Amino acid sequence: MEIKVLSENTSCRPEIKNEHGLSLYINACGRNILFDTGASGIFAANAEEMGADLSSADIAVISHGHYDHGGGIRTFLDINDKADIYIREKALEKHYSVMPGGEKKYIGLDPSLARDRFVFTQETFMIGEGLELFSLTDRDDAGPSPSGNAVMFTENRDGFRRDDFSHEQNLVISENGKTLLLAGCAHKGIINIMEKFHLLRGVFPDYAIGGFHLHSRSGDKDEDPAAVEDIARYLLESGTTFWTCHCTGLRSYELLKNVMHDKINRLSAGDELKIQTIKES
């Protein structure tokens, strides 16, 4: 598997732009996969700089309905005329974050997006060989969820309600007996997501990439250090190797790193990662 980080909060070199967002370009299972599009067209500019041909993407996956993961959808549709976009239908509802002054700021996707290339997914959904999506429901929320979720709301025909993140989904890539779990922001809680993976597969993933939402951008607040250390111990015991980014936050990442050592690392825009999936003889 080859992963190129097209959009992230930080950049690893001057010619690569950064923004509050996430986008990954993945080559695996004989497919070119775009996972999220960042907040704007920056992912496309970085893709060109990094030699990632977005027009050849076979599949696009949107992890959830926030602008920092789907703000570049229109740019992608302009570049690529063939790839289906796999998304939860509720991701197209209106999503808001409450600012420190009490104002509800719109953080959802562009409501005018054409839907003809959208494929609406269910709780579990097979894209094709080696590519599967899964979401969490209320019954999967036994473990901790990010405290930053408290300021996030969804608006539908019944009015505003606390966001339950039923619009969030995770991608699993399986190749040559190795599994990679991709989570956009892990609003449902990275521990809950790992537990759901274990429930579905009977094992934990070999590798995982994603944001853990341990930093709330709207309030510029980090998760409680004791809670982060509890998460770190759980993740370390899973045996999975992690790369994190985006909404994990730098302070929380350092806490995770202090516990997990070489089992976790950070990704920035411009990074390129190769994961060995060749079968051992």
Side-chain angles (χ1 to χ4, degrees):
M1 302 179 197
E2 296 182 355
I3 300 103
K4 296 184 178 185
V5 185
L6 304 185
S7 178
E8 207 271 335
N9 299 29
T10 60
S11 171
C12 70
R13 53 184 195 265
E15 66 272 21
I16 298 296
K17 301 175 182 178
N18 60 287
E19 64 179 351
H20 178 77
L22 182 64
S23 178
L24 307 173
Y25 193 71
I26 305 156
N27 179 265
C29 301
R31 307 277 194 100
N32 294 315
I33 306 155
L34 180 67
F35 183 81
D36 287 341
T37 67
S40 68
I42 279 178
F43 82 103
N46 287 344
E48 187 171 353
E49 187 72 36
M50 297 174 69
D53 182 8
L54 292 175
S55 68
S56 68
D58 304 297
I59 294 164
V61 172
I62 302 300
S63 63
H64 61 295
H66 290 168
Y67 79 96
D68 50 330
H69 295 259
I73 291 176
R74 189 178 299 280
T75 298
F76 177 68
L77 290 172
D78 290 341
I79 294 171
N80 182 296
D81 62 2
K82 65 176 183 178
D84 287 329
I85 297 175
Y86 293 85
I87 188 171
R88 298 303 307 268
E89 189 167 14
K90 286 187 176 182
L92 299 177
E93 292 182 346
K94 297 178 180 179
H95 300 284
Y96 296 83
S97 180
V98 179
M99 298 293 102
E103 173 195 0
K104 286 187 174 71
K105 179 183 177 181
Y106 184 73
I107 60 169
L109 304 181
D110 181 352
S112 68
L113 285 169
R115 303 187 181 194
D116 54 305
R117 285 167 59 190
F118 287 177
V119 177
F120 294 120
T121 60
Q122 291 83 48
E123 182 180 340
T124 58
F125 189 93
M126 289 295 301
I127 295 175
E129 185 175 356
L131 302 174
E132 183 177 3
L133 297 164
F134 72 90
S135 298
L136 275 64
T137 64
D138 290 343
R139 66 179 180 272
D140 301 312
D141 286 351
S145 296
S147 62
N149 288 353
V151 299
M152 295 187 172
F153 288 80
T154 295
E155 183 185 19
N156 56 25
R157 66 185 67 181
D158 299 319
F160 287 100
R161 59 176 173 78
R162 187 72 61 83
D163 199 333
D164 64 2
F165 298 99
S166 55
H167 56 97
E168 184 176 67
Q169 60 183 352
N170 311 281
L171 174 63
V172 180
I173 301 176
S174 304
E175 188 173 66
N176 291 333
K178 299 290 186 179
T179 53
L180 170 64
L181 167 66
L182 294 120
C185 267
H187 283 287
K188 280 286 196 178
I190 188 60
I191 289 178
N192 291 327
I193 292 169
M194 290 283 286
E195 285 292 303
K196 182 64 175 284
F197 182 101
H198 191 276
L199 179 66
L200 293 172
R201 298 290 185 104
V203 294
F204 288 112
D206 297 291
Y207 311 101
I209 296 175
F212 299 165
H213 210 270
L214 302 178
H215 177 81
S216 174
R217 187 179 185 227
S218 60
D220 192 22
K221 182 180 179 182
D222 292 298
E223 197 70 47
D224 178 72
V228 176
E229 289 174 357
D230 286 344
I231 291 169
R233 284 189 285 270
Y234 171 92
L235 297 181
L236 181 63
E237 290 177 3
S238 74
T240 301
T241 298
F242 292 86
W243 290 268
T244 193
C245 49
H246 183 45
C247 56
T248 299
L250 295 177
R251 292 176 187 171
S252 293
Y253 169 71
E254 291 302 326
L255 292 174
L256 294 168
K257 186 71 172 175
N258 286 341
V259 174
M260 299 176 66
H261 305 293
D262 62 349
K263 295 300 287 185
I264 191 167
N265 285 291
R266 278 203 85 257
L267 291 174
S268 294
D271 278 335
E272 300 187 35
L273 178 65
K274 291 186 179 182
I275 296 177
Q276 185 63 267
T277 60
I278 296 176
K279 292 180 179 178
E280 296 180 0
S281 57

Short mmCIF file of all heavy atoms in Angstrom, two decimals, residues 179-228:
data_model
loop_
_atom_site.label_atom_id
_atom_site.label_comp_id
_atom_site.label_asym_id
_atom_site.label_seq_id
_atom_site.Cartn_x
_atom_site.Cartn_y
_atom_site.Cartn_z
N THR A 179 -4.28 -5.54 7.19
CA THR A 179 -5.42 -4.63 7.19
C THR A 179 -5.00 -3.23 7.63
O THR A 179 -4.22 -3.07 8.57
CB THR A 179 -6.54 -5.12 8.13
OG1 THR A 179 -5.99 -5.37 9.43
CG2 THR A 179 -7.18 -6.39 7.58
N LEU A 180 -5.55 -2.24 6.95
CA LEU A 180 -5.35 -0.83 7.26
C LEU A 180 -6.71 -0.21 7.54
O LEU A 180 -7.62 -0.28 6.71
CB LEU A 180 -4.67 -0.11 6.10
CG LEU A 180 -4.62 1.43 6.18
CD1 LEU A 180 -3.77 1.89 7.36
CD2 LEU A 180 -4.10 2.02 4.87
N LEU A 181 -6.86 0.40 8.71
CA LEU A 181 -8.07 1.11 9.09
C LEU A 181 -7.84 2.60 8.90
O LEU A 181 -6.83 3.15 9.37
CB LEU A 181 -8.40 0.81 10.55
CG LEU A 181 -9.45 1.69 11.23
CD1 LEU A 181 -10.82 1.49 10.61
CD2 LEU A 181 -9.49 1.40 12.73
N LEU A 182 -8.77 3.27 8.22
CA LEU A 182 -8.69 4.71 8.03
C LEU A 182 -9.89 5.39 8.66
O LEU A 182 -11.04 5.06 8.33
CB LEU A 182 -8.61 5.06 6.54
CG LEU A 182 -7.33 4.57 5.87
CD1 LEU A 182 -7.68 3.61 4.75
CD2 LEU A 182 -6.51 5.72 5.35
N ALA A 183 -9.63 6.32 9.57
CA ALA A 183 -10.68 7.09 10.24
C ALA A 183 -10.42 8.57 9.98
O ALA A 183 -9.28 9.03 10.13
CB ALA A 183 -10.67 6.81 11.73
N GLY A 184 -11.44 9.31 9.61
CA GLY A 184 -11.24 10.72 9.31
C GLY A 184 -10.97 11.54 10.55
O GLY A 184 -9.90 12.12 10.71
N CYS A 185 -11.95 11.60 11.45
CA CYS A 185 -11.81 12.37 12.70
C CYS A 185 -12.10 11.54 13.94
O CYS A 185 -11.89 12.02 15.05
CB CYS A 185 -12.76 13.57 12.70
SG CYS A 185 -12.04 15.10 12.08
N ALA A 186 -12.59 10.33 13.78
CA ALA A 186 -12.91 9.47 14.92
C ALA A 186 -13.81 10.18 15.93
O ALA A 186 -13.59 10.09 17.15
CB ALA A 186 -11.64 8.96 15.59
N HIS A 187 -14.84 10.89 15.44
CA HIS A 187 -15.77 11.54 16.34
C HIS A 187 -16.47 10.55 17.26
O HIS A 187 -16.86 10.88 18.38
CB HIS A 187 -16.82 12.32 15.55
CG HIS A 187 -16.33 13.62 15.01
ND1 HIS A 187 -16.10 14.71 15.80
CD2 HIS A 187 -16.02 14.00 13.74
CE1 HIS A 187 -15.69 15.72 15.06
NE2 HIS A 187 -15.62 15.32 13.80
N LYS A 188 -16.66 9.33 16.78
CA LYS A 188 -17.30 8.30 17.60
C LYS A 188 -16.36 7.75 18.67
O LYS A 188 -16.78 6.95 19.51
CB LYS A 188 -17.80 7.15 16.71
CG LYS A 188 -19.12 7.43 16.01
CD LYS A 188 -20.29 7.36 16.98
CE LYS A 188 -21.62 7.25 16.30
NZ LYS A 188 -22.74 7.14 17.27
N GLY A 189 -15.11 8.19 18.63
CA GLY A 189 -14.12 7.72 19.60
C GLY A 189 -13.25 6.64 18.99
O GLY A 189 -13.76 5.62 18.52
N ILE A 190 -11.93 6.84 19.01
CA ILE A 190 -11.04 5.87 18.37
C ILE A 190 -11.11 4.52 19.06
O ILE A 190 -11.00 3.47 18.41
CB ILE A 190 -9.59 6.40 18.31
CG1 ILE A 190 -8.70 5.49 17.49
CG2 ILE A 190 -9.04 6.64 19.70
CD1 ILE A 190 -9.14 5.31 16.04
N ILE A 191 -11.35 4.50 20.36
CA ILE A 191 -11.49 3.21 21.05
C ILE A 191 -12.74 2.49 20.57
O ILE A 191 -12.71 1.28 20.28
CB ILE A 191 -11.52 3.40 22.58
CG1 ILE A 191 -10.14 3.81 23.09
CG2 ILE A 191 -12.00 2.13 23.28
CD1 ILE A 191 -10.08 4.07 24.58
N ASN A 192 -13.85 3.20 20.44
CA ASN A 192 -15.09 2.59 19.95
C ASN A 192 -14.92 2.06 18.53
O ASN A 192 -15.45 1.00 18.17
CB ASN A 192 -16.24 3.59 20.00
CG ASN A 192 -16.66 3.93 21.41
OD1 ASN A 192 -16.60 3.08 22.30
ND2 ASN A 192 -17.09 5.16 21.63
N ILE A 193 -14.20 2.82 17.71
CA ILE A 193 -13.97 2.40 16.32
C ILE A 193 -13.12 1.13 16.28
O ILE A 193 -13.40 0.18 15.52
CB ILE A 193 -13.32 3.54 15.51
CG1 ILE A 193 -14.33 4.68 15.34
CG2 ILE A 193 -12.84 3.05 14.15
CD1 ILE A 193 -13.74 5.96 14.79
N MET A 194 -12.09 1.10 17.11
CA MET A 194 -11.25 -0.11 17.18
C MET A 194 -12.06 -1.31 17.68
O MET A 194 -11.91 -2.43 17.19
CB MET A 194 -10.06 0.16 18.08
CG MET A 194 -9.04 1.14 17.51
SD MET A 194 -7.99 0.38 16.24
CE MET A 194 -6.92 -0.64 17.26
N GLU A 195 -12.92 -1.07 18.66
CA GLU A 195 -13.75 -2.16 19.18
C GLU A 195 -14.72 -2.68 18.12
O GLU A 195 -14.97 -3.88 18.02
CB GLU A 195 -14.51 -1.69 20.42
CG GLU A 195 -13.66 -1.57 21.67
CD GLU A 195 -13.19 -2.93 22.18
OE1 GLU A 195 -14.05 -3.79 22.44
OE2 GLU A 195 -11.96 -3.12 22.30
N LYS A 196 -15.28 -1.77 17.31
CA LYS A 196 -16.20 -2.20 16.25
C LYS A 196 -15.43 -3.01 15.20
O LYS A 196 -15.95 -4.03 14.71
CB LYS A 196 -16.87 -0.98 15.61
CG LYS A 196 -17.88 -1.30 14.52
CD LYS A 196 -19.08 -2.09 15.05
CE LYS A 196 -20.16 -2.32 14.01
NZ LYS A 196 -20.99 -1.15 13.72
N PHE A 197 -14.23 -2.56 14.87
CA PHE A 197 -13.41 -3.34 13.94
C PHE A 197 -13.19 -4.75 14.50
O PHE A 197 -13.33 -5.75 13.78
CB PHE A 197 -12.06 -2.64 13.72
CG PHE A 197 -11.16 -3.34 12.74
CD1 PHE A 197 -11.06 -2.88 11.44
CD2 PHE A 197 -10.42 -4.46 13.10
CE1 PHE A 197 -10.23 -3.53 10.52
CE2 PHE A 197 -9.60 -5.12 12.20
CZ PHE A 197 -9.50 -4.64 10.91
N HIS A 198 -12.84 -4.83 15.78
CA HIS A 198 -12.59 -6.13 16.40
C HIS A 198 -13.85 -6.99 16.40
O HIS A 198 -13.79 -8.21 16.19
CB HIS A 198 -12.08 -5.93 17.83
CG HIS A 198 -11.55 -7.16 18.47
ND1 HIS A 198 -12.36 -8.09 19.10
CD2 HIS A 198 -10.29 -7.65 18.56
CE1 HIS A 198 -11.62 -9.08 19.56
NE2 HIS A 198 -10.36 -8.84 19.25
N LEU A 199 -15.00 -6.35 16.63
CA LEU A 199 -16.27 -7.09 16.60
C LEU A 199 -16.52 -7.67 15.21
O LEU A 199 -16.98 -8.82 15.08
CB LEU A 199 -17.42 -6.16 16.99
CG LEU A 199 -18.83 -6.75 16.98
CD1 LEU A 199 -18.97 -7.82 18.06
CD2 LEU A 199 -19.87 -5.65 17.18
N LEU A 200 -16.21 -6.91 14.18
CA LEU A 200 -16.46 -7.35 12.81
C LEU A 200 -15.44 -8.38 12.33
O LEU A 200 -15.78 -9.29 11.57
CB LEU A 200 -16.42 -6.14 11.86
CG LEU A 200 -17.54 -5.11 12.02
CD1 LEU A 200 -17.25 -3.89 11.15
CD2 LEU A 200 -18.89 -5.72 11.64
N ARG A 201 -14.19 -8.25 12.79
CA ARG A 201 -13.10 -9.07 12.24
C ARG A 201 -12.54 -10.11 13.21
O ARG A 201 -11.84 -11.03 12.79
CB ARG A 201 -11.95 -8.17 11.76
CG ARG A 201 -12.30 -7.19 10.64
CD ARG A 201 -12.54 -7.94 9.35
NE ARG A 201 -12.76 -7.05 8.22
CZ ARG A 201 -11.86 -6.77 7.27
NH1 ARG A 201 -10.65 -7.29 7.34
NH2 ARG A 201 -12.17 -5.97 6.26
N GLY A 202 -12.77 -9.90 14.50
CA GLY A 202 -12.21 -10.82 15.49
C GLY A 202 -10.77 -10.52 15.85
O GLY A 202 -10.18 -11.20 16.70
N VAL A 203 -10.18 -9.54 15.22
CA VAL A 203 -8.81 -9.10 15.49
C VAL A 203 -8.77 -7.58 15.38
O VAL A 203 -9.73 -6.96 14.90
CB VAL A 203 -7.79 -9.71 14.50
CG1 VAL A 203 -7.70 -11.23 14.66
CG2 VAL A 203 -8.16 -9.33 13.06
N PHE A 204 -7.66 -6.99 15.79
CA PHE A 204 -7.44 -5.57 15.57
C PHE A 204 -6.71 -5.37 14.24
O PHE A 204 -6.05 -6.29 13.75
CB PHE A 204 -6.64 -4.96 16.71
CG PHE A 204 -7.42 -4.83 17.99
CD1 PHE A 204 -7.10 -5.61 19.09
CD2 PHE A 204 -8.47 -3.93 18.09
CE1 PHE A 204 -7.82 -5.49 20.28
CE2 PHE A 204 -9.20 -3.81 19.26
CZ PHE A 204 -8.87 -4.60 20.36
N PRO A 205 -6.80 -4.17 13.64
CA PRO A 205 -6.09 -3.94 12.38
C PRO A 205 -4.58 -3.95 12.58
O PRO A 205 -4.08 -3.66 13.67
CB PRO A 205 -6.59 -2.56 11.95
CG PRO A 205 -6.99 -1.88 13.22
CD PRO A 205 -7.54 -2.98 14.08
N ASP A 206 -3.87 -4.29 11.53
CA ASP A 206 -2.40 -4.21 11.59
C ASP A 206 -1.94 -2.77 11.67
O ASP A 206 -1.00 -2.45 12.39
CB ASP A 206 -1.79 -4.88 10.35
CG ASP A 206 -2.13 -6.35 10.27
OD1 ASP A 206 -1.61 -7.12 11.11
OD2 ASP A 206 -2.91 -6.73 9.38
N TYR A 207 -2.64 -1.90 10.91
CA TYR A 207 -2.26 -0.49 10.82
C TYR A 207 -3.53 0.38 10.89
O TYR A 207 -4.62 -0.07 10.53
CB TYR A 207 -1.54 -0.20 9.51
CG TYR A 207 -0.41 -1.17 9.20
CD1 TYR A 207 -0.60 -2.20 8.28
CD2 TYR A 207 0.82 -1.04 9.82
CE1 TYR A 207 0.42 -3.10 8.00
CE2 TYR A 207 1.85 -1.93 9.54
CZ TYR A 207 1.65 -2.96 8.63
OH TYR A 207 2.66 -3.84 8.36
N ALA A 208 -3.35 1.62 11.34
CA ALA A 208 -4.47 2.55 11.35
C ALA A 208 -3.94 3.96 11.13
O ALA A 208 -2.87 4.33 11.64
CB ALA A 208 -5.24 2.48 12.66
N ILE A 209 -4.71 4.74 10.36
CA ILE A 209 -4.36 6.13 10.06
C ILE A 209 -5.59 6.99 10.31
O ILE A 209 -6.71 6.62 9.92
CB ILE A 209 -3.92 6.31 8.59
CG1 ILE A 209 -2.64 5.52 8.31
CG2 ILE A 209 -3.72 7.78 8.25
CD1 ILE A 209 -2.23 5.55 6.84
N GLY A 210 -5.41 8.16 10.93
CA GLY A 210 -6.53 9.08 11.06
C GLY A 210 -6.36 10.09 12.17
O GLY A 210 -5.43 10.02 12.98
N GLY A 211 -7.28 11.02 12.21
CA GLY A 211 -7.36 11.96 13.31
C GLY A 211 -8.16 11.35 14.44
O GLY A 211 -9.08 10.55 14.21
N PHE A 212 -7.85 11.73 15.68
CA PHE A 212 -8.52 11.17 16.86
C PHE A 212 -9.41 12.19 17.55
O PHE A 212 -9.98 11.91 18.59
CB PHE A 212 -7.50 10.63 17.86
CG PHE A 212 -6.62 9.52 17.36
CD1 PHE A 212 -5.48 9.17 18.05
CD2 PHE A 212 -6.94 8.82 16.21
CE1 PHE A 212 -4.66 8.14 17.62
CE2 PHE A 212 -6.13 7.79 15.75
CZ PHE A 212 -4.98 7.45 16.46
N HIS A 213 -9.51 13.38 17.04
CA HIS A 213 -10.30 14.48 17.59
C HIS A 213 -10.05 14.68 19.09
O HIS A 213 -10.97 14.74 19.91
CB HIS A 213 -11.80 14.28 17.34
CG HIS A 213 -12.52 15.59 17.21
ND1 HIS A 213 -13.08 16.24 18.29
CD2 HIS A 213 -12.74 16.39 16.16
CE1 HIS A 213 -13.60 17.37 17.90
NE2 HIS A 213 -13.40 17.50 16.60
N LEU A 214 -8.78 14.84 19.41
CA LEU A 214 -8.37 15.12 20.79
C LEU A 214 -8.03 16.60 20.96
O LEU A 214 -7.52 17.00 22.01
CB LEU A 214 -7.18 14.24 21.17
CG LEU A 214 -7.44 12.73 21.06
CD1 LEU A 214 -6.19 11.94 21.41
CD2 LEU A 214 -8.61 12.30 21.93
N HIS A 215 -8.34 17.38 19.94
CA HIS A 215 -8.22 18.84 20.02
C HIS A 215 -9.45 19.45 19.36
O HIS A 215 -9.80 19.10 18.23
CB HIS A 215 -6.96 19.33 19.30
CG HIS A 215 -6.84 20.83 19.30
ND1 HIS A 215 -6.35 21.55 20.37
CD2 HIS A 215 -7.15 21.75 18.35
CE1 HIS A 215 -6.37 22.83 20.10
NE2 HIS A 215 -6.85 22.99 18.88
N SER A 216 -10.11 20.35 20.08
CA SER A 216 -11.29 21.04 19.54
C SER A 216 -10.84 22.37 18.96
O SER A 216 -10.37 23.25 19.70
CB SER A 216 -12.32 21.26 20.65
OG SER A 216 -13.40 22.04 20.17
N ARG A 217 -10.97 22.53 17.67
CA ARG A 217 -10.51 23.76 17.02
C ARG A 217 -11.37 24.96 17.41
O ARG A 217 -10.86 26.06 17.60
CB ARG A 217 -10.53 23.59 15.50
CG ARG A 217 -9.90 24.77 14.75
CD ARG A 217 -9.92 24.52 13.26
NE ARG A 217 -9.23 25.56 12.54
CZ ARG A 217 -9.70 26.16 11.46
NH1 ARG A 217 -10.90 25.82 10.99
NH2 ARG A 217 -9.01 27.10 10.85
N SER A 218 -12.69 24.75 17.53
CA SER A 218 -13.59 25.87 17.81
C SER A 218 -13.27 26.52 19.15
O SER A 218 -13.34 27.75 19.29
CB SER A 218 -15.05 25.40 17.79
OG SER A 218 -15.27 24.40 18.78
N GLY A 219 -12.89 25.73 20.15
CA GLY A 219 -12.57 26.28 21.45
C GLY A 219 -11.09 26.29 21.76
O GLY A 219 -10.68 26.69 22.84
N ASP A 220 -10.27 25.86 20.78
CA ASP A 220 -8.83 25.73 20.95
C ASP A 220 -8.51 25.01 22.26
O ASP A 220 -7.73 25.48 23.10
CB ASP A 220 -8.15 27.11 20.92
CG ASP A 220 -6.62 26.99 20.79
OD1 ASP A 220 -6.16 25.94 20.33
OD2 ASP A 220 -5.92 27.94 21.19
N LYS A 221 -9.13 23.84 22.42
CA LYS A 221 -9.01 23.11 23.68
C LYS A 221 -8.59 21.67 23.42
O LYS A 221 -9.12 21.00 22.54
CB LYS A 221 -10.36 23.13 24.42
CG LYS A 221 -10.35 22.45 25.77
CD LYS A 221 -11.73 22.52 26.42
CE LYS A 221 -11.75 21.81 27.77
NZ LYS A 221 -13.09 21.84 28.38
N ASP A 222 -7.63 21.19 24.21
CA ASP A 222 -7.16 19.82 24.10
C ASP A 222 -7.94 18.91 25.04
O ASP A 222 -8.46 19.36 26.08
CB ASP A 222 -5.67 19.74 24.44
CG ASP A 222 -4.80 20.43 23.41
OD1 ASP A 222 -4.82 20.00 22.25
OD2 ASP A 222 -4.11 21.42 23.75
N GLU A 223 -8.00 17.65 24.69
CA GLU A 223 -8.63 16.65 25.54
C GLU A 223 -7.87 16.55 26.87
O GLU A 223 -6.66 16.83 26.95
CB GLU A 223 -8.63 15.29 24.83
CG GLU A 223 -9.59 14.27 25.40
CD GLU A 223 -11.04 14.62 25.13
OE1 GLU A 223 -11.38 14.97 24.00
OE2 GLU A 223 -11.84 14.56 26.10
N ASP A 224 -8.56 16.15 27.93
CA ASP A 224 -7.96 15.99 29.23
C ASP A 224 -6.77 15.03 29.14
O ASP A 224 -6.89 13.93 28.58
CB ASP A 224 -8.98 15.44 30.22
CG ASP A 224 -8.39 15.21 31.58
OD1 ASP A 224 -8.11 16.18 32.28
OD2 ASP A 224 -8.19 14.02 31.92
N PRO A 225 -5.59 15.41 29.65
CA PRO A 225 -4.40 14.55 29.52
C PRO A 225 -4.60 13.14 30.06
O PRO A 225 -4.08 12.18 29.47
CB PRO A 225 -3.34 15.32 30.32
CG PRO A 225 -3.76 16.75 30.23
CD PRO A 225 -5.26 16.70 30.26
N ALA A 226 -5.32 12.99 31.16
CA ALA A 226 -5.54 11.65 31.72
C ALA A 226 -6.34 10.79 30.75
O ALA A 226 -6.06 9.59 30.59
CB ALA A 226 -6.26 11.75 33.06
N ALA A 227 -7.33 11.39 30.08
CA ALA A 227 -8.13 10.65 29.09
C ALA A 227 -7.26 10.25 27.91
O ALA A 227 -7.39 9.13 27.38
CB ALA A 227 -9.31 11.49 28.64
N VAL A 228 -6.37 11.14 27.47
CA VAL A 228 -5.48 10.83 26.34
C VAL A 228 -4.55 9.68 26.71
O VAL A 228 -4.31 8.77 25.89
CB VAL A 228 -4.67 12.07 25.93
CG1 VAL A 228 -3.68 11.72 24.83
CG2 VAL A 228 -5.61 13.19 25.46
#
